[in-house]
Amino acid sequence: MDQIIKAISEDGFVSISVITSRGLAERARVVHNCSPVVTAALGRTLSAASIIGSSMKKAGASLTVRINGGGPAGSILVVSDDFGNVRGYVSNPAADVPKRPDGKLDVGTIVGTDGMLSVIKDFGGKEPYTGSTMLVSGEIAEDFAAYFAASEQVPTACAFGVLVDRDRSVLAAGGYIVQLLPGAPNEVIDAVEENVAATGPVTDILNGGDAQLLLEKVMSGFSPRVIETSPVEYRCTCSRERFLSAVLSLDKAEIDDMVEKAEPIEVCCQFCEKKYLFQISQLLHRS
Ligand code: ZN
């Protein structure tokens, strides 16, 4: 089962959120029929959004992440609720590029670097908070680290990984976001950097290990205290009612046109690919 573990160092200077996301990344792959490299790009973004969404601490809040790097995958859009349950899609899920010389999936190339990472935090109030940064590498983790440094002024290290099996299913997925709290002394900063370097690729640990092991590696020497452990999953919030009201909110000319054609209207949810069929009589009745 996928989960997020949040912990803090004994000295209070280092906070970490670790996610295991094999299940939700695999669900996204199946729903959208993604190529392996797109599965990796989308899975990493879902993992990051899940952690950030789960830290919003406001009931009903939501987080939207949009990555528009101009690569063959097109744009990535991911939404998280305040528990870290996520959904998302990619413009071109079947896009593919050759593997890198080291044999790894070339996420940076499929995503591209000619664009922005945007984060929209909607707390249910008036204006949502929006922060955007230029993409650094298209590898997702580095792009989120740059976002945190520029938009939220929080020194952050993060890593996300998705390991795809030969049959295209997700073998392991997850990652972490580690942040330094104000006043952290230099030796703490150095120690975190050393731990991150020593931890290496997250899928090396998660393929056979678990979130706890990943947490212990990144927080080595900091006696981390677990604050919270919570389950997360791929979850769509679409409904027949929601789509009907969307159809009805089209302008009158478009609705008249549909009524004239007298064909049932099919609407497909971008997040879960579920199809909803509406009869013309429903439009007539409501409009
Ligand atoms: Zn849906």
Side-chain angles (χ1 to χ4, degrees):
M1 190 182 62
D2 296 341
Q3 61 176 357
I4 293 175
I5 304 179
K6 294 183 195 296
I8 190 155
S9 62
E10 195 173 29
D11 62 17
F13 286 127
V14 190
S15 74
I16 186 168
S17 295
V18 173
I19 184 170
T20 49
S21 53
R22 193 201 70 81
L24 64 88
E26 172 64 4
R27 177 87 188 114
R29 177 192 75 88
V30 171
V31 163
H32 301 299
N33 197 16
C34 299
S35 71
V37 66
V38 170
T39 299
L42 182 56
R44 290 180 191 181
T45 311
L46 287 164
S47 302
S50 177
I51 290 180
I52 303 167
S54 73
S55 64
M56 288 176 72
K57 298 187 184 86
K58 170 108 168 46
S62 73
L63 174 95
T64 302
V65 172
R66 187 187 294 275
I67 296 176
N68 204 338
S75 20
I76 301 172
L77 189 118
V78 167
V79 178
S80 174
D81 67 17
D82 61 308
F83 295 100
N85 298 307
V86 282
R87 56 193 190 273
Y89 60 83
V90 178
S91 323
N92 307 311
D96 207 357
V97 286
K99 285 187 174 174
R100 302 192 321 199
D102 64 2
K104 297 216 187 303
L105 295 166
D106 195 348
V107 174
T109 298
I110 205 80
V111 171
T113 53
D114 186 18
M116 311 289 285
L117 163 71
S118 301
V119 174
I120 301 155
K121 291 182 177 178
D122 188 343
F123 292 94
K126 308 146 243 169
E127 281 293 292
Y129 160 86
T130 305
S132 293
T133 42
M134 295 292 294
L135 291 168
V136 176
S137 66
E139 291 280 338
I140 312 298
E142 281 176 291
D143 304 301
F144 273 100
Y147 160 77
F148 278 111
S151 287
E152 303 198 1
Q153 283 93 41
V154 182
T156 303
C158 53
F160 300 103
V162 177
L163 186 64
V164 180
D165 208 350
R166 284 168 180 272
D167 67 359
R168 297 187 153 214
S169 65
V170 176
L171 209 52
Y176 61 84
I177 295 180
V178 58
Q179 297 189 309
L180 294 165
L181 294 143
N186 284 334
E187 56 265 33
V188 168
I189 299 170
D190 294 344
V192 170
E193 281 175 357
E194 277 169 31
N195 284 358
V196 165
T199 301
V202 293
T203 48
D204 287 359
I205 295 163
L206 294 175
N207 187 23
D210 58 12
Q212 190 62 40
L213 183 62
L214 182 56
L215 191 151
E216 282 164 15
K217 288 231 176 209
V218 183
M219 296 291 271
S220 174
F222 284 105
S223 312
R225 181 169 55 85
V226 172
I227 302 165
E228 194 186 321
T229 300
S230 48
V232 289
E233 63 177 12
Y234 193 96
R235 187 185 291 175
C236 193
T237 56
C238 70
S239 68
R240 197 174 169 75
E241 269 307 304
R242 199 173 281 200
F243 275 106
L244 181 58
S245 62
V247 171
L248 291 174
S249 69
L250 295 170
D251 62 54
K252 192 170 182 309
E254 283 180 275
I255 293 182
D256 286 348
D257 188 48
M258 288 189 263
V259 170
E260 186 130 325
K261 284 188 184 135
E263 283 168 4
I265 296 148
E266 191 180 80
V267 186
C268 181
C269 175
Q270 287 182 292
F271 291 106
C272 70
E273 305 280 342
K274 189 173 174 183
K275 292 182 171 63
Y276 293 90
L277 199 65
F278 298 103
Q279 301 300 328
I280 292 303
S281 57
Q282 289 174 297
L283 295 185
L284 287 171
H285 179 69
R286 296 288 195 106
S287 56

